[in-house]
Amino acid sequence: MAGTERSAFLKGFGKQLKLLRERAGLTQAELASRVGYSTEQVASVECGRRIPKPELIDKADDVLGAGGLLKAMKEEAAQARYPAFFRDAARLEAEAIELQVYDTVVINGLLQTEEYARALFGMRRPLLDEDVIGQRVAARLVRQEIFSARPAPLLGFVIEESVLRKPFGGKQVLRGQLEQLLLLGEKRNVELQVMPTARDDNAGVDGPFTLMTPKGGEQLAYLEGQGRSTLLTDREEVHAIAARYGIIRAQALTPQESLIFIEKLLGEL
């Protein structure tokens, strides 16, 4: 869904919602009260300015007697949360039974706190509109439902030490982020590893990447940078990146050593 298609979808969804609301004889304030959202949120969705949350879609469909018309558009609404370059990757990520991630610039979106994510989006240039920032943050948090998925996928993250020292959003935001890493690192299906800056050999010099293994499918690699992304499916290319990840893991601190290291960083803040 490209930018113009996304805008057209949101406006179309908003018109449908408004028509159904008016047919039911409700004002925006009355619908907002019945679905548990603010009048401003309902108005923004009807104008196509805000991406509707899945819960709002479900409740509005029931309250307005839409017979599943609005619910049928939930998948498209979910995809509209993400920038165009990330939508395919978001779908594959959600379906993956195994993810292996190497990060060199920022902490991976799956691990980010709301405050850290908001700080990152707020630093984008050109500047993002506040509504867009809110949508992007919400979408990033939705991705983290992968941690409670059943059966639990295997999730591995190797993070460069320098990333853990960047105070994006300020020291308090970084503190909260490091605390979240400690909590996630204790999960049985999650392995967090830190790559020390002092290593004189680092197989990750080519940059960050994510390896995804979908259920019943072959492993693929995802590369991202400067608002562009690439999904690699060629077996030889993916195998080379997977082999590189194995070396990176061996060069990094062990998961237990990494949690101790993060605790030490927390103590320095």
PDB file of all heavy atoms in Angstrom, residues 153-174:
ATOM      1  N   PRO A 153       7.894 -17.928  19.375  1.00  0.00           N
ATOM      2  CA  PRO A 153       8.983 -17.964  18.397  1.00  0.00           C
ATOM      3  C   PRO A 153      10.329 -17.793  19.095  1.00  0.00           C
ATOM      4  O   PRO A 153      10.406 -17.275  20.208  1.00  0.00           O
ATOM      5  CB  PRO A 153       8.673 -16.753  17.505  1.00  0.00           C
ATOM      6  CG  PRO A 153       7.958 -15.811  18.404  1.00  0.00           C
ATOM      7  CD  PRO A 153       7.142 -16.661  19.336  1.00  0.00           C
ATOM      8  N   LEU A 154      11.383 -18.249  18.459  1.00  0.00           N
ATOM      9  CA  LEU A 154      12.735 -18.059  18.988  1.00  0.00           C
ATOM     10  C   LEU A 154      13.244 -16.703  18.514  1.00  0.00           C
ATOM     11  O   LEU A 154      13.242 -16.422  17.313  1.00  0.00           O
ATOM     12  CB  LEU A 154      13.658 -19.175  18.496  1.00  0.00           C
ATOM     13  CG  LEU A 154      13.270 -20.591  18.933  1.00  0.00           C
ATOM     14  CD1 LEU A 154      14.213 -21.617  18.290  1.00  0.00           C
ATOM     15  CD2 LEU A 154      13.312 -20.714  20.453  1.00  0.00           C
ATOM     16  N   LEU A 155      13.664 -15.867  19.450  1.00  0.00           N
ATOM     17  CA  LEU A 155      14.060 -14.501  19.136  1.00  0.00           C
ATOM     18  C   LEU A 155      15.474 -14.233  19.636  1.00  0.00           C
ATOM     19  O   LEU A 155      15.743 -14.327  20.837  1.00  0.00           O
ATOM     20  CB  LEU A 155      13.087 -13.512  19.774  1.00  0.00           C
ATOM     21  CG  LEU A 155      11.598 -13.718  19.467  1.00  0.00           C
ATOM     22  CD1 LEU A 155      10.743 -12.800  20.319  1.00  0.00           C
ATOM     23  CD2 LEU A 155      11.328 -13.485  17.986  1.00  0.00           C
ATOM     24  N   GLY A 156      16.378 -13.902  18.707  1.00  0.00           N
ATOM     25  CA  GLY A 156      17.759 -13.618  19.072  1.00  0.00           C
ATOM     26  C   GLY A 156      18.156 -12.221  18.624  1.00  0.00           C
ATOM     27  O   GLY A 156      17.852 -11.821  17.493  1.00  0.00           O
ATOM     28  N   PHE A 157      18.815 -11.473  19.501  1.00  0.00           N
ATOM     29  CA  PHE A 157      19.235 -10.106  19.196  1.00  0.00           C
ATOM     30  C   PHE A 157      20.694  -9.914  19.601  1.00  0.00           C
ATOM     31  O   PHE A 157      21.063 -10.211  20.740  1.00  0.00           O
ATOM     32  CB  PHE A 157      18.387  -9.085  19.957  1.00  0.00           C
ATOM     33  CG  PHE A 157      16.907  -9.174  19.704  1.00  0.00           C
ATOM     34  CD1 PHE A 157      16.114 -10.046  20.432  1.00  0.00           C
ATOM     35  CD2 PHE A 157      16.311  -8.383  18.732  1.00  0.00           C
ATOM     36  CE1 PHE A 157      14.750 -10.132  20.209  1.00  0.00           C
ATOM     37  CE2 PHE A 157      14.941  -8.463  18.496  1.00  0.00           C
ATOM     38  CZ  PHE A 157      14.163  -9.338  19.230  1.00  0.00           C
ATOM     39  N   VAL A 158      21.495  -9.419  18.674  1.00  0.00           N
ATOM     40  CA  VAL A 158      22.850  -8.990  18.999  1.00  0.00           C
ATOM     41  C   VAL A 158      22.888  -7.475  18.793  1.00  0.00           C
ATOM     42  O   VAL A 158      22.546  -6.976  17.716  1.00  0.00           O
ATOM     43  CB  VAL A 158      23.914  -9.672  18.118  1.00  0.00           C
ATOM     44  CG1 VAL A 158      25.303  -9.163  18.497  1.00  0.00           C
ATOM     45  CG2 VAL A 158      23.849 -11.190  18.265  1.00  0.00           C
ATOM     46  N   ILE A 159      23.287  -6.752  19.840  1.00  0.00           N
ATOM     47  CA  ILE A 159      23.259  -5.291  19.811  1.00  0.00           C
ATOM     48  C   ILE A 159      24.665  -4.758  20.055  1.00  0.00           C
ATOM     49  O   ILE A 159      25.336  -5.180  21.007  1.00  0.00           O
ATOM     50  CB  ILE A 159      22.323  -4.736  20.903  1.00  0.00           C
ATOM     51  CG1 ILE A 159      20.956  -5.428  20.845  1.00  0.00           C
ATOM     52  CG2 ILE A 159      22.164  -3.224  20.761  1.00  0.00           C
ATOM     53  CD1 ILE A 159      20.076  -5.132  22.048  1.00  0.00           C
ATOM     54  N   GLU A 160      25.094  -3.834  19.226  1.00  0.00           N
ATOM     55  CA  GLU A 160      26.390  -3.200  19.442  1.00  0.00           C
ATOM     56  C   GLU A 160      26.372  -2.388  20.741  1.00  0.00           C
ATOM     57  O   GLU A 160      25.397  -1.698  21.040  1.00  0.00           O
ATOM     58  CB  GLU A 160      26.735  -2.282  18.265  1.00  0.00           C
ATOM     59  CG  GLU A 160      27.128  -2.998  16.995  1.00  0.00           C
ATOM     60  CD  GLU A 160      28.509  -3.646  17.094  1.00  0.00           C
ATOM     61  OE1 GLU A 160      29.362  -3.138  17.860  1.00  0.00           O
ATOM     62  OE2 GLU A 160      28.729  -4.659  16.395  1.00  0.00           O
ATOM     63  N   GLU A 161      27.449  -2.481  21.499  1.00  0.00           N
ATOM     64  CA  GLU A 161      27.553  -1.757  22.763  1.00  0.00           C
ATOM     65  C   GLU A 161      27.266  -0.265  22.601  1.00  0.00           C
ATOM     66  O   GLU A 161      26.586   0.351  23.442  1.00  0.00           O
ATOM     67  CB  GLU A 161      28.958  -1.941  23.347  1.00  0.00           C
ATOM     68  CG  GLU A 161      29.221  -1.122  24.588  1.00  0.00           C
ATOM     69  CD  GLU A 161      30.676  -1.167  25.034  1.00  0.00           C
ATOM     70  OE1 GLU A 161      31.411  -2.115  24.644  1.00  0.00           O
ATOM     71  OE2 GLU A 161      31.087  -0.251  25.775  1.00  0.00           O
ATOM     72  N   SER A 162      27.753   0.315  21.517  1.00  0.00           N
ATOM     73  CA  SER A 162      27.573   1.753  21.303  1.00  0.00           C
ATOM     74  C   SER A 162      26.100   2.147  21.257  1.00  0.00           C
ATOM     75  O   SER A 162      25.717   3.242  21.683  1.00  0.00           O
ATOM     76  CB  SER A 162      28.264   2.189  20.013  1.00  0.00           C
ATOM     77  OG  SER A 162      27.737   1.493  18.889  1.00  0.00           O
ATOM     78  N   VAL A 163      25.257   1.246  20.758  1.00  0.00           N
ATOM     79  CA  VAL A 163      23.821   1.517  20.673  1.00  0.00           C
ATOM     80  C   VAL A 163      23.227   1.678  22.074  1.00  0.00           C
ATOM     81  O   VAL A 163      22.358   2.518  22.310  1.00  0.00           O
ATOM     82  CB  VAL A 163      23.103   0.377  19.920  1.00  0.00           C
ATOM     83  CG1 VAL A 163      21.592   0.568  19.957  1.00  0.00           C
ATOM     84  CG2 VAL A 163      23.591   0.304  18.482  1.00  0.00           C
ATOM     85  N   LEU A 164      23.726   0.892  23.006  1.00  0.00           N
ATOM     86  CA  LEU A 164      23.197   0.913  24.370  1.00  0.00           C
ATOM     87  C   LEU A 164      23.630   2.151  25.145  1.00  0.00           C
ATOM     88  O   LEU A 164      23.112   2.416  26.229  1.00  0.00           O
ATOM     89  CB  LEU A 164      23.663  -0.337  25.122  1.00  0.00           C
ATOM     90  CG  LEU A 164      23.248  -1.676  24.508  1.00  0.00           C
ATOM     91  CD1 LEU A 164      23.875  -2.821  25.287  1.00  0.00           C
ATOM     92  CD2 LEU A 164      21.743  -1.819  24.462  1.00  0.00           C
ATOM     93  N   ARG A 165      24.550   2.899  24.595  1.00  0.00           N
ATOM     94  CA  ARG A 165      25.062   4.084  25.282  1.00  0.00           C
ATOM     95  C   ARG A 165      24.478   5.387  24.714  1.00  0.00           C
ATOM     96  O   ARG A 165      24.729   6.459  25.253  1.00  0.00           O
ATOM     97  CB  ARG A 165      26.589   4.128  25.188  1.00  0.00           C
ATOM     98  CG  ARG A 165      27.284   2.987  25.925  1.00  0.00           C
ATOM     99  CD  ARG A 165      28.796   3.131  25.866  1.00  0.00           C
ATOM    100  NE  ARG A 165      29.478   2.071  26.574  1.00  0.00           N
ATOM    101  CZ  ARG A 165      29.729   2.065  27.891  1.00  0.00           C
ATOM    102  NH1 ARG A 165      29.336   3.086  28.638  1.00  0.00           N
ATOM    103  NH2 ARG A 165      30.373   1.056  28.452  1.00  0.00           N
ATOM    104  N   LYS A 166      23.717   5.296  23.630  1.00  0.00           N
ATOM    105  CA  LYS A 166      23.170   6.505  23.012  1.00  0.00           C
ATOM    106  C   LYS A 166      21.946   6.979  23.783  1.00  0.00           C
ATOM    107  O   LYS A 166      20.934   6.270  23.834  1.00  0.00           O
ATOM    108  CB  LYS A 166      22.800   6.228  21.549  1.00  0.00           C
ATOM    109  CG  LYS A 166      24.003   5.882  20.677  1.00  0.00           C
ATOM    110  CD  LYS A 166      23.572   5.538  19.263  1.00  0.00           C
ATOM    111  CE  LYS A 166      24.759   5.177  18.386  1.00  0.00           C
ATOM    112  NZ  LYS A 166      24.344   4.807  17.011  1.00  0.00           N
ATOM    113  N   PRO A 167      21.990   8.172  24.366  1.00  0.00           N
ATOM    114  CA  PRO A 167      20.874   8.645  25.207  1.00  0.00           C
ATOM    115  C   PRO A 167      19.733   9.291  24.431  1.00  0.00           C
ATOM    116  O   PRO A 167      19.318  10.407  24.732  1.00  0.00           O
ATOM    117  CB  PRO A 167      21.577   9.663  26.118  1.00  0.00           C
ATOM    118  CG  PRO A 167      22.624  10.255  25.229  1.00  0.00           C
ATOM    119  CD  PRO A 167      23.108   9.129  24.350  1.00  0.00           C
ATOM    120  N   PHE A 168      19.228   8.605  23.422  1.00  0.00           N
ATOM    121  CA  PHE A 168      18.122   9.150  22.646  1.00  0.00           C
ATOM    122  C   PHE A 168      16.939   9.453  23.578  1.00  0.00           C
ATOM    123  O   PHE A 168      16.465   8.578  24.295  1.00  0.00           O
ATOM    124  CB  PHE A 168      17.677   8.181  21.559  1.00  0.00           C
ATOM    125  CG  PHE A 168      18.719   7.929  20.503  1.00  0.00           C
ATOM    126  CD1 PHE A 168      18.956   6.650  20.035  1.00  0.00           C
ATOM    127  CD2 PHE A 168      19.458   8.967  19.982  1.00  0.00           C
ATOM    128  CE1 PHE A 168      19.902   6.413  19.053  1.00  0.00           C
ATOM    129  CE2 PHE A 168      20.421   8.747  19.000  1.00  0.00           C
ATOM    130  CZ  PHE A 168      20.642   7.464  18.539  1.00  0.00           C
ATOM    131  N   GLY A 169      16.472  10.695  23.543  1.00  0.00           N
ATOM    132  CA  GLY A 169      15.361  11.078  24.402  1.00  0.00           C
ATOM    133  C   GLY A 169      15.766  11.480  25.800  1.00  0.00           C
ATOM    134  O   GLY A 169      14.925  11.886  26.598  1.00  0.00           O
ATOM    135  N   GLY A 170      17.045  11.329  26.135  1.00  0.00           N
ATOM    136  CA  GLY A 170      17.523  11.689  27.470  1.00  0.00           C
ATOM    137  C   GLY A 170      17.855  10.463  28.311  1.00  0.00           C
ATOM    138  O   GLY A 170      17.526   9.329  27.964  1.00  0.00           O
ATOM    139  N   LYS A 171      18.519  10.707  29.441  1.00  0.00           N
ATOM    140  CA  LYS A 171      18.987   9.610  30.285  1.00  0.00           C
ATOM    141  C   LYS A 171      17.849   8.789  30.869  1.00  0.00           C
ATOM    142  O   LYS A 171      17.958   7.571  31.019  1.00  0.00           O
ATOM    143  CB  LYS A 171      19.870  10.157  31.411  1.00  0.00           C
ATOM    144  CG  LYS A 171      21.263  10.553  30.947  1.00  0.00           C
ATOM    145  CD  LYS A 171      22.168  10.859  32.132  1.00  0.00           C
ATOM    146  CE  LYS A 171      23.596  11.142  31.665  1.00  0.00           C
ATOM    147  NZ  LYS A 171      24.504  11.412  32.810  1.00  0.00           N
ATOM    148  N   GLN A 172      16.732   9.443  31.208  1.00  0.00           N
ATOM    149  CA  GLN A 172      15.620   8.699  31.791  1.00  0.00           C
ATOM    150  C   GLN A 172      15.004   7.738  30.779  1.00  0.00           C
ATOM    151  O   GLN A 172      14.611   6.624  31.123  1.00  0.00           O
ATOM    152  CB  GLN A 172      14.553   9.659  32.326  1.00  0.00           C
ATOM    153  CG  GLN A 172      14.938  10.331  33.631  1.00  0.00           C
ATOM    154  CD  GLN A 172      15.251   9.328  34.724  1.00  0.00           C
ATOM    155  OE1 GLN A 172      16.416   9.196  35.136  1.00  0.00           O
ATOM    156  NE2 GLN A 172      14.251   8.600  35.187  1.00  0.00           N
ATOM    157  N   VAL A 173      14.929   8.191  29.538  1.00  0.00           N
ATOM    158  CA  VAL A 173      14.412   7.308  28.478  1.00  0.00           C
ATOM    159  C   VAL A 173      15.353   6.131  28.284  1.00  0.00           C
ATOM    160  O   VAL A 173      14.913   4.985  28.152  1.00  0.00           O
ATOM    161  CB  VAL A 173      14.236   8.093  27.159  1.00  0.00           C
ATOM    162  CG1 VAL A 173      13.893   7.137  26.016  1.00  0.00           C
ATOM    163  CG2 VAL A 173      13.146   9.141  27.296  1.00  0.00           C
ATOM    164  N   LEU A 174      16.652   6.395  28.265  1.00  0.00           N
ATOM    165  CA  LEU A 174      17.624   5.316  28.105  1.00  0.00           C
ATOM    166  C   LEU A 174      17.553   4.350  29.283  1.00  0.00           C
ATOM    167  O   LEU A 174      17.639   3.129  29.102  1.00  0.00           O
ATOM    168  CB  LEU A 174      19.036   5.889  27.975  1.00  0.00           C
ATOM    169  CG  LEU A 174      20.159   4.860  27.829  1.00  0.00           C
ATOM    170  CD1 LEU A 174      19.932   3.962  26.614  1.00  0.00           C
ATOM    171  CD2 LEU A 174      21.517   5.551  27.740  1.00  0.00           C
TER     172      LEU A 174
END
